[in-house]
Amino acid sequence: MTETREAQIASSIMNAFDRAERFDAPYRHWQFDAMFPDGVVEELQSVEFPIGDLGGISGKRELHNDQRHYVDQKNMRRLPVFAALGNVFQSPMMAQKIEEFFGVNIGGTFLRIEYTQDIDGFWLEPHTDLGVKRLTILIYLSDEAGHDDLGTDIYDADKQWNKRAPFTPNSAMAFVPGDNTYHGFAKRPINGVRKSLILNYVTTDWRDREQLAFPDATIQTA
């Protein structure tokens, strides 16, 4: 019997977890490679939304909330690859694997996946994600010239730069938000469009329900 596409994606993610490299400084985080099966990352790279205009303002993503795009109900109906990702990360089997791997409780949370398209002039100040986010997984997609230096910047508890995650298509960096999990994006040239996925499991305090993959269904573990 041929595996379904969702089963293939789930298997690839779980294999990536098994190969993951863990780092404990400056806070615990993980690096993954080959997150998705062959073809899926290429399909994600080819997704196109209108490119927003930063208007010379950056530092926080919420400064441009009206220009952001998500694996939400509308886009899942339109894009089969978005629907597949949403279904995989919503599934009880994947939720249980995530809880076991990261040692975090995501039962009763909502799945939120943002599809980012960062352009020249974009930057992010150091921040922790602490609050309503139970888990953060940053999945890198684009492979244009110079994008290998566009990974997430990791900072210590004093917001001093520590290192930069490698930006390789189909790789990822993840962490459980805490009071020291500072990360951001130091301003530097971006050639073309830096594409990535930001995956979070968020608590029921999340107000912008239209951003969620399944706004009427919380995560249930197996």
Side-chain angles (χ1 to χ4, degrees):
M1 181 181 295
T2 303
E3 274 191 311
T4 67
R5 189 183 201 201
E6 290 176 14
Q8 292 173 345
I9 293 172
S11 178
S12 182
I13 293 168
M14 291 184 181
N15 288 336
F17 283 177
D18 290 341
R19 295 188 306 269
E21 188 174 3
R22 193 183 95 178
F23 302 88
D24 290 320
Y27 51 83
R28 183 167 296 176
H29 61 283
W30 292 263
Q31 188 72 33
F32 309 91
D33 64 6
M35 282 287 285
F36 302 136
D38 292 343
V40 171
V41 69
E42 289 83 0
E43 192 170 348
L44 288 167
Q45 288 170 339
S46 69
V47 171
E48 292 186 0
F49 291 104
I51 303 296
D53 181 1
L54 295 176
I57 301 172
S58 194
K60 298 180 179 180
R61 289 195 181 277
E62 54 264 36
L63 294 173
H64 301 281
N65 274 347
D66 59 333
Q67 300 176 9
R68 300 167 77 178
H69 306 282
Y70 302 91
V71 177
D72 56 22
Q73 286 289 296
K74 182 176 78 170
N75 287 326
M76 288 169 69
R77 287 191 293 269
R78 186 172 68 90
L79 299 166
V81 69
F82 273 24
L85 288 184
N87 289 332
V88 166
F89 282 107
Q90 182 78 8
S91 72
M93 180 182 66
M94 182 60 67
Q96 178 141 357
K97 174 71 173 181
I98 284 172
E99 287 195 335
E100 293 171 354
F101 183 88
F102 292 102
V104 63
N105 177 20
I106 61 170
T109 64
F110 290 105
L111 173 63
R112 177 180 181 269
I113 307 175
E114 181 173 2
Y115 186 91
T116 69
Q117 299 180 122
D118 302 321
I119 57 174
D120 199 45
F122 167 81
W123 63 279
L124 285 177
E125 64 183 21
H127 59 288
T128 64
D129 279 4
L130 184 62
V132 296
K133 296 178 180 178
R134 292 275 180 85
L135 179 68
T136 297
I137 305 178
L138 307 169
I139 305 170
Y140 306 127
L141 299 176
S142 54
D143 60 356
E144 298 186 52
H147 282 211
D148 55 338
D149 190 43
L150 298 185
T152 303
D153 289 301
I154 296 171
Y155 301 84
D156 65 20
D158 296 320
K159 301 184 185 180
Q160 298 299 306
W161 190 90
N162 180 268
K163 67 177 184 178
R164 180 167 295 163
F167 191 101
T168 304
N170 210 15
S171 69
M173 193 274 278
F175 59 91
V176 176
D179 58 8
N180 67 332
T181 54
Y182 286 103
H183 61 288
F185 186 84
K187 188 173 182 179
R188 52 197 183 272
I190 298 176
N191 176 52
V193 182
R194 175 187 186 261
K195 294 186 175 185
S196 65
L197 297 174
I198 304 174
L199 187 152
N200 299 111
Y201 288 98
V202 299
T203 70
T204 54
D205 290 330
W206 192 267
R207 292 176 293 179
D208 300 314
R209 298 295 175 91
E210 72 281 356
Q211 300 174 358
L212 304 175
F214 299 94
D216 298 319
T218 57
I219 296 295
Q220 307 297 315
T221 54

